Amino acid sequence: MPLRELGAFLLLLVVVFIIGNLWFHMVEGVLDRIKGLFLRRKEPPAWHPLPPEEENQDH
């Protein structure tokens, strides 16, 4: 594969990556707006809350 074809292929991959990234962010933005219309805005619960700290009574 000549160097020119390899460069064109890499450029094509970069363009596909950029378009895919833009598409992903556009769809996520639309979904967030739709969720905002139907769901009340509140903070989501913590994914994994830490257990409550136990205080040492030894001190």
Side-chain angles (χ1 to χ4, degrees), residues 32-41:
D32 282 342
R33 287 186 185 220
I34 290 172
K35 286 179 187 176
L37 291 174
F38 294 110
L39 302 174
R40 291 190 302 170
R41 292 277 183 185

Side-chain angles (χ1 to χ4, degrees), residues 9-21:
F9 182 69
L10 280 173
L11 183 63
L12 176 69
L13 287 178
V14 168
V15 168
V16 167
F17 175 78
I18 291 171
I19 290 173
N21 209 359

Side-chain angles (χ1 to χ4, degrees), residues 35-57:
K35 286 179 187 176
L37 291 174
F38 294 110
L39 302 174
R40 291 190 302 170
R41 292 277 183 185
K42 63 179 182 177
E43 289 296 318
W47 176 74
H48 190 280
L50 296 173
E53 292 185 16
E54 297 177 12
E55 293 186 25
N56 262 342
Q57 300 296 339

